[in-house]
């Protein structure tokens, strides 16, 4: 039998004065005002923030052609002084970069984002490096102060307090935490960038997916035997996932319960992360504890750091 995955290496803590580069590996930048506000927040914390060349390029719904976006990301990850990559926005496009991609050999760098950035964060865990599922530059300014501070605390080497939701039972489990956008993660299954899912804690969120689509996605996970491998499931916000009008439907909450109830593992819902609301920073690839009775998701302190 294979052993469960080990925690990933957490990049060395950031400190004010460090250089962070902005890349747009996914969708074309549209929200320029809030993007600038996000950049200024990082600068107000004392960081040197520079924009990769062509971060505002457009090719259809993408932030430039694949080779352009791939080059941006490589530029940031290979820059000798860069300590971390701030992703501009989500949308779609990260998975396309992985078709012809090799992570550069360098000291671990911070990779920060969520939504479509799931594809890169999950691929990075296969290199043994922890990223951060956290607000993008286009969403950071909309976060409450405590959420902004949570992100800053984590990248600067401080421990994180637990977050709380609604416990659906199932006891308590410990495992490697893999936060993700559910739809994006589903399209990594069966590829070379799928992480080892044995004994992990999955943390899912999603947006604009009707309940029947969430049902279809989770049923695929079940038929592949993936959900039967994991230790626990933490559920964030499933925003704008209302049923279509004019026909019978389950709610998204009913679908989530139905597709997880027989797994006999801890499940916690309504945790404060995801789209359209508070998006509490969650490390990717580190040890966590999920309490299905208390509704608690806690990041455990025994970290490996570079």
């Amino acid at each position: 039998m294979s052993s469960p995955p080990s925690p990933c290496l957490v990049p060395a803590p950031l400190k004010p004065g460090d250089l962070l580069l902005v890349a747009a590996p996914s969708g074309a930048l549209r929200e320029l005002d809030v993007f600038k506000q996000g950049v200024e927040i990082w600068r107000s914390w004392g960081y040197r923030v520079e924009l990769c060349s062509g971060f505002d390029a457009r090719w259809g719904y993408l932030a430039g052609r694949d080779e352009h976006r791939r080059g941006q990301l490589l530029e940031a990850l290979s820059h000798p002084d860069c300590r971390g990559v701030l992703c501009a926005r989500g949308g779609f496009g990260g998975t396309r970069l992985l078709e012809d991609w090799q992570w550069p050999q360098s000291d671990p760098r911070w990779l920060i984002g969520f939504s479509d950035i799931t594809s890169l964060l999950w691929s990075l865990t296969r290199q043994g490096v922890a990223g951060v599922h956290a607000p993008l530059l286009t969403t950071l300014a909309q976060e409450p102060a405590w959420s902004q501070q949570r992100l800053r605390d984590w990248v600067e080497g401080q421990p994180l307090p637990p977050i709380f939701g609604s416990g659906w039972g199932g006891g308590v489990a410990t495992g490697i935490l893999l936060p993700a956008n559910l739809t994006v993660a589903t399209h990594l299954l069966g590829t070379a960038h799928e992480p080892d899912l044995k004994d992990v804690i999955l943390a899912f969120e999603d947006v604009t997916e009707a309940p029947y689509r969430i049902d279809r996605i989770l049923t695929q996970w079940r038929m592949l035997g993936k959900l039967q491998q994991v230790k626990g499931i933490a559920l964030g916000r499933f925003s704008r996932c209302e049923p279509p009008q004019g026909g019978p439907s389950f709610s998204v909450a009913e679908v989530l319960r139905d597709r997880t109830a027989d797994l006999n593992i801890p499940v916690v819902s309504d945790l404060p992360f995801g789209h359209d609301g508070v998006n509490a920073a969650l490390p990717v690839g580190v040890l966590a504890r999920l309490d299905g009775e208390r509704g608690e998701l806690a990041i455990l302190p025994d970290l490996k750091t570079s």
Side-chain angles (χ1 to χ4, degrees):
M1 295 178 61
S2 60
S3 59
S6 300
C8 290
L9 193 68
V10 177
L14 295 177
K15 58 184 184 302
D18 284 342
L19 174 65
L20 305 175
L21 292 182
V22 174
S26 298
L29 184 62
R30 302 191 300 265
E31 312 88 342
L32 196 56
D33 288 342
V34 288
F35 168 78
K36 291 178 179 178
Q37 292 169 21
V39 169
E40 288 309 311
I41 288 171
W42 280 97
R43 287 176 173 162
S44 74
W45 294 343
Y47 292 99
R48 293 183 293 136
V49 179
E50 296 182 5
L51 311 179
C52 286
S53 55
F55 75 95
D56 56 352
R58 290 191 177 188
W59 183 53
Y61 43 75
L62 301 168
R65 293 182 179 272
D66 294 346
E67 57 270 24
H68 170 79
R69 300 189 333 279
R70 195 177 289 117
Q72 265 193 75
L73 192 55
L74 285 172
E75 173 190 343
L77 292 169
S78 303
H79 191 293
D81 298 324
C82 176
R83 296 292 315 285
V85 180
L86 306 176
C87 294
R89 73 180 304 270
F92 174 68
T95 312
R96 290 176 62 123
L97 302 189
L98 297 176
E99 284 190 86
D100 181 22
W101 177 256
Q102 286 190 333
W103 291 95
Q105 297 299 310
S106 61
D107 293 335
R109 316 282 177 95
W110 292 94
L111 178 64
I112 301 169
F114 85 113
S115 192
D116 188 63
I117 308 303
T118 290
S119 57
L120 302 174
L121 292 169
W122 274 32
S123 177
L124 186 60
T125 67
R126 292 185 60 90
Q127 306 303 306
V129 178
V132 195
H133 184 279
L136 299 152
L137 287 174
T138 51
T139 65
L140 182 59
Q142 300 157 21
E143 293 292 316
W146 72 263
S147 176
Q148 294 179 4
Q149 187 63 44
R150 178 183 175 91
L151 171 57
R152 183 180 181 184
D153 284 346
W154 178 250
V155 298
E156 292 184 353
Q158 302 301 313
L160 293 181
I163 57 174
F164 292 89
S166 301
W168 289 0
V172 181
T174 299
I176 301 301
L177 182 65
L178 290 180
N181 175 272
L182 174 59
T183 298
V184 176
T186 301
H187 290 95
L188 293 181
L189 297 179
T191 73
H193 299 277
E194 176 190 335
D196 185 351
L197 298 173
K198 178 178 170 57
D199 294 339
V200 304
I201 293 172
L202 295 171
F204 284 145
E205 62 85 28
D206 219 324
V207 61
T208 61
E209 296 288 352
Y212 76 90
R213 294 178 182 169
I214 298 294
D215 189 342
R216 182 166 59 200
I217 287 170
L218 291 176
T219 300
Q220 180 182 355
W221 281 74
R222 291 170 62 96
M223 293 181 69
L224 289 170
K226 301 298 184 179
L227 293 188
Q228 294 85 339
Q229 297 179 22
V230 308
K231 284 287 199 70
I233 300 176
L235 299 170
R237 195 174 302 103
F238 283 72
S239 55
R240 289 178 275 158
C241 290
E242 292 80 14
Q245 294 184 352
S249 178
F250 297 111
S251 68
V252 69
E254 288 173 326
V255 169
L256 293 168
R257 278 188 178 269
D258 176 74
R259 298 282 72 191
T260 61
D262 61 349
L263 297 173
N264 298 315
I265 57 175
V267 179
V268 176
S269 70
D270 301 309
L271 288 160
F273 70 92
H275 291 74
D276 299 338
V278 179
N279 187 24
L282 294 173
V284 184
V286 307
L287 203 60
R289 182 182 63 246
L290 187 68
D291 189 328
E293 311 305 324
R294 299 183 62 220
E296 178 188 49
L297 175 61
I299 307 303
L300 299 183
D302 50 342
L303 302 173
K304 299 191 299 180
T305 57
S306 61

